[in-house]
Amino acid sequence: MHPLIILRIVCYLLLIVCAFMLTAVGMALFYREAAVIHSFAWPILTVAFGAVVFLWLTRASGRGQPSFKDGFLFVVGGWGAVALLGALPFYLSGSIPSFCDAYFETISGFTTTGASILKDIEALPRALLYWRSLTHWLGGMGIVVLTVAILPLLGVGGLQLVKAEAPGPTVDKITPRIAETAKYLWYIYLGLTVLQTLLLKFGGMDFFDALTHTFATLATGGFSTRNASVAYYDSAYIDWVITLFMVAAGMNFVLHFRLLTGDFRSLLRNTELKAYGLIFVGASLLVAGGLYFNQVYRSPIESLRFAAFQVASILTTTGFASADYESWPYMAQAIMLLLMFVGGCSGSTGGGVKVIRIVTLFKQAVNEMKFLIHPKAVFPLRFSGKVVRKNIVYAISGFFFLYIAMLLLVTFVVSLSGIDLLSSLSAALATLGNIGPGFGLVGPTDNYAHFPNAIKWVLSFAMLAGRLELYTVVVLFMPTFWRR
């Protein structure tokens, strides 16, 4: 391991975050919120100065190629460091007096979970609301990927770092060079951001709300600037626009690149995308039917509007709310609970188990049943026309076991605080899957403010572990990781 290289890369990462924090200072100046400028200025000046000094002092000895172990340490340490930096404006401004709460809100933002401790969101200054949503946008595509895009300019290779942070079982490059891949993905991300902001602005939102809701949508985060979330606007147009972009954000961003380059075959033969679309459409129709026949809404179109929005929100782990689904029929609630175990596609900004893993395990289960009937036959597992290697199936099986084990462990720890079983399970599932809202005390109309500080730290860890695909974090607790 190379501690000096790791610390230098973390310093570059912190400098990038400081640069984005400067835009929040611009927001404070624009909206004449002078009282919060110092809460951004002091962290920016202090951290940037310290990072620059450290980089200058180590300029002759901090270059080189990071190892895989370095990648794991950087990713976990980098996400923890930016969350500490990002929490300071909330804490120093007094808007969130408890540092535990400020860190919880910030790690929820960077991990695109959307779990909040705020009881009155609209009371916060706009500069802080902007920064809160911006943490989503940065964490969505991955601050690590943004850093990797500039690392070649700094003399540091980046493939190991992306492999440690990559949101799926494999790293799907669209160009031979990983830095170019990162840049193209960010260009697509930026283009979608501009497009959705304009569409929401056209639908009646002011520019600030359109921008912040776009940040939360494309990052599949779910932070809103309104206490009632998207339900505040009561607009079918806004609901459908956000639904469309939530679904797009839940897709593998490499497929967006293929689509822009005219490679439509990639979409047609992609097994994960077909399964993802089938789950979304099927769940939306089932929920809409339940809402309509139970007379929750007056028309099939209105039922489909609310059903599709909430299904997309939970499936992609965005966490926006346009209705209180806890008041819906039990069948609809059951579907929402099941969707919490799925998540978005690999290579998307969504969290959860990921569709690719669910489909792979399903195919493997079918193959095992075929093998029981025909013991001498060979049944290769195919995905998008390609045979899946056994080691990938083993890795996915291990991940799924680890996910369920972590879910049960966090549920148990939360229940120790006296929280009821449904709320404990829901809080664990919503944070580990980076979903945000759940059921019970963490439903779409509730928040996480009532949890004890110790539980908030546990849930913060769950959010980070879930965002980094568990292995990246859990491997650090293995004694063999620290051996040479």
Side-chain angles (χ1 to χ4, degrees), residues 62-307:
R63 293 176 178 269
Q65 181 72 18
S67 66
F68 286 111
K69 288 186 178 182
D70 294 335
F72 289 123
L73 287 172
F74 160 68
V75 168
V76 177
W79 281 83
V82 297
L84 287 172
L85 172 60
L88 291 176
F90 296 111
Y91 181 67
L92 295 176
S93 66
S95 297
I96 304 181
S98 166
F99 186 78
C100 174
D101 286 350
Y103 186 85
F104 182 93
E105 194 77 13
T106 308
I107 197 69
S108 178
F110 278 116
T111 59
T112 72
T113 303
S116 180
I117 51 84
L118 295 174
K119 297 179 180 179
D120 187 3
I121 298 170
E122 296 173 28
L124 262 67
R126 287 203 160 194
L128 287 175
L129 289 176
Y130 166 80
W131 172 241
R132 180 172 174 261
S133 296
L134 186 59
T135 59
H136 268 344
W137 194 78
L138 293 174
M141 184 56 67
I143 302 175
V144 176
V145 177
L146 177 65
T147 307
V148 168
I150 67 167
L151 284 179
L153 301 176
L154 310 174
V156 179
L159 183 57
Q160 286 82 0
L161 306 181
V162 173
K163 283 186 176 179
E165 195 272 347
T170 60
V171 180
D172 191 3
K173 297 194 293 183
I174 57 180
T175 67
R177 300 178 62 183
I178 191 66
E180 290 298 317
T181 297
K183 289 177 183 177
Y184 279 125
L185 294 179
W186 269 102
Y187 291 152
I188 295 170
Y189 197 52
L190 183 60
L192 290 174
T193 299
V194 173
L195 178 60
Q196 187 186 348
T197 301
L198 293 175
L199 289 175
L200 290 179
K201 184 75 170 62
F202 178 76
M205 279 190 181
D206 62 36
F207 177 76
F208 180 82
D209 280 3
L211 182 64
T212 51
H213 281 83
T214 295
F215 285 165
T217 302
L218 292 178
T220 63
F223 276 160
S224 174
T225 56
R226 302 294 177 177
N227 294 327
S229 191
V230 180
Y232 169 86
Y233 302 98
D234 193 25
S235 166
Y237 172 85
I238 289 175
D239 284 357
W240 282 115
V241 168
I242 292 179
T243 299
L244 175 64
F245 279 88
M246 283 192 292
V247 173
M251 289 173 52
N252 189 326
F253 268 73
V254 172
L255 294 180
H256 289 295
F257 177 83
R258 308 287 188 203
L259 182 62
L260 289 175
T261 56
D263 185 7
F264 300 103
R265 287 185 179 180
S266 295
L267 277 71
L268 296 176
R269 66 170 178 252
N270 189 277
T271 303
E272 184 183 28
L273 180 62
K274 289 186 285 188
Y276 173 67
L278 183 63
I279 293 171
F280 169 69
V281 173
S284 297
L285 292 176
L286 284 173
V287 173
L291 295 177
Y292 178 66
F293 288 114
N294 284 276
Q295 299 182 340
V296 178
Y297 299 105
R298 292 175 294 181
S299 70
I301 298 299
E302 189 179 20
S303 299
L304 182 61
R305 163 194 162 190
F306 286 100

Side-chain angles (χ1 to χ4, degrees), residues 12 106 144 147 202 219 228 274 348 354 356 399 438 441 470 483:
Y12 284 119
T106 308
V144 176
T147 307
F202 178 76
K274 289 186 285 188
S348 72
K354 299 290 192 304
I356 191 172
F399 173 88
L441 297 177
L470 296 186
R483 295 174 189 163

